[in-house]
Amino acid sequence: MKAVRVHEYHSDPKIDDIPEPTLQGPLDVIVKIGGAGVCRTDLHIINGDWAAAQDPTLPYVIGHENAGWVEAIGDGVTNVAVGDTVILHPQPSCGLCLACRRGRDMQCENAFFPGLSNNDGGMAEYLRTTARACIKLDPSTDPADVAALADAGITAYHAVRKAVPDLFPGTTAVVQGAGGLGHIAIQALAAITGTRIVVVDKNPDALALAKQIGADETVLADGTHIDAVKDLTNGLGGDVVFDFVAEQGAELDAWQMTAPAGSQYILGYGGEFKAPTLDFVGGEKNVIGNIVGTYADLTELMVLAQAGKVTLHTKQYPLDAALDALHDLDAGRVRGRAILVP
């Protein structure tokens, strides 16, 4: 099969012909990929940023936002059958450790992470995962339309879901960065909260999209955006600020846009957060980190998606054009999410 593999860091991946994956255990599932999302994390992987944390053996296949059709199942699989349309939680978990018992899939002690760890990902024709990662979809669903919900979607939804108690009517949520994750968060906020949604981005096209999908106000990030957000919030800032940028100083802008007793949710990465301790004490402000959501988060998000309340705005590329997709994402030419279709 064809697959997109990283051979060395700081260099473009290559499209290789490699053997198809095989079943290795009774709960394994082989999925024929119908869509693989292209994520900014893939750019960080190529840059070597995840090497110390995951230590994969190179070369390996990237791609952690995947959906498709079940091709083969192990003897112990009962929740899906060959031919089913599925979306995959990005990190298959064991179900037995204490973190799993508490529903914290991403802290599973025995998990593997296709596309990041020493396991091949989904920028390929086939992927090996497990039954615990599979969520069965309506057979009419096109996997390419929903694939990016498997990571970008649940990461954004997970943060919004955690913030729901603080986003009752009369509050303001600020979304900084209306790209692949941000445009999903806007829709999730509109679907499950009563908050006013203010979106900040440096790209006018992204702001136009934000307005179409649920933003109440948009602010151009032109150097005056902190004051503009304050002007929209009686000088206070957002009750919750979702920072999908979190680099090149944006993480500090988000802090300045957070109201007293408010919370800054950090979802982007690459920058460095630094604030005076008096801001925490005097302002009773919170900083909350976020990673990919849980299996339950993904099931809830798919209910919203299949009801038409959350829609991915995508640009599709054939698998052979993976480098074009990665370059376009890096250059900011993708509105919404890039999807590879084998």
Side-chain angles (χ1 to χ4, degrees), residues 77-332:
V77 176
T78 59
N79 60 324
V80 293
V82 172
D84 283 346
T85 306
V86 291
I87 189 169
L88 307 178
H89 189 279
Q91 179 175 279
S93 52
C94 73
L96 299 174
C97 69
L98 189 56
C100 282
R101 297 290 189 178
R102 289 174 172 163
R104 301 202 320 264
D105 305 69
M106 293 306 295
Q107 282 79 48
C108 172
E109 297 171 13
N110 305 298
F112 66 95
F113 206 141
L116 269 82
S117 64
N118 209 26
N119 298 271
D120 285 339
M123 289 189 190
E125 295 178 73
Y126 295 92
L127 167 72
R128 181 182 73 89
T129 183
T130 74
R132 282 185 55 82
C134 296
I135 294 175
K136 189 159 60 173
L137 304 177
D138 187 293
S140 65
T141 305
D142 183 346
D145 289 340
V146 299
L149 294 178
D151 178 39
I154 54 170
T155 300
Y157 181 78
H158 181 61
V160 171
R161 189 77 165 76
K162 288 197 296 186
V164 164
D166 297 322
L167 294 176
F168 46 85
T171 61
T172 297
V174 176
V175 176
Q176 179 170 252
L181 278 77
H183 89 284
I184 299 168
I186 294 163
Q187 296 174 81
L189 285 164
I192 67 172
T193 79
T195 195
R196 180 173 63 149
I197 305 166
V198 177
V199 178
V200 180
D201 199 288
K202 64 183 180 181
N203 190 307
D205 291 339
L207 294 178
L209 173 60
K211 197 72 172 177
Q212 293 172 18
I213 59 178
D216 297 295
E217 305 283 351
T218 59
V219 174
L220 185 66
D222 60 359
T224 66
H225 48 286
I226 296 173
D227 289 337
V229 170
K230 294 283 187 71
D231 289 343
L232 290 169
T233 54
N234 298 317
L236 297 175
D239 298 284
V240 176
V241 177
F242 299 95
D243 183 7
F244 292 98
V245 183
E247 62 181 351
Q248 298 179 9
E251 64 276 21
L252 305 182
D253 291 351
W255 180 247
Q256 294 301 316
M257 291 187 283
T258 304
S263 297
Q264 176 183 348
Y265 283 71
I266 298 179
L267 295 101
Y269 60 94
E272 180 176 322
F273 181 86
K274 184 178 181 180
T277 51
L278 182 58
D279 283 4
F280 289 91
V281 176
E284 287 194 322
K285 292 163 70 170
N286 309 297
V287 177
I288 300 170
N290 293 268
I291 197 167
V292 176
T294 66
Y295 183 95
D297 288 332
L298 186 54
T299 62
E300 292 176 18
L301 180 59
M302 294 313 300
V303 172
L304 294 178
Q306 299 201 315
K309 295 183 179 180
V310 173
T311 302
L312 273 171
H313 293 255
T314 63
K315 181 178 181 181
Q316 293 188 13
Y317 299 76
L319 185 63
D320 287 342
L323 296 186
D324 293 336
L326 289 162
H327 294 161
D328 286 351
L329 175 62
D330 196 26

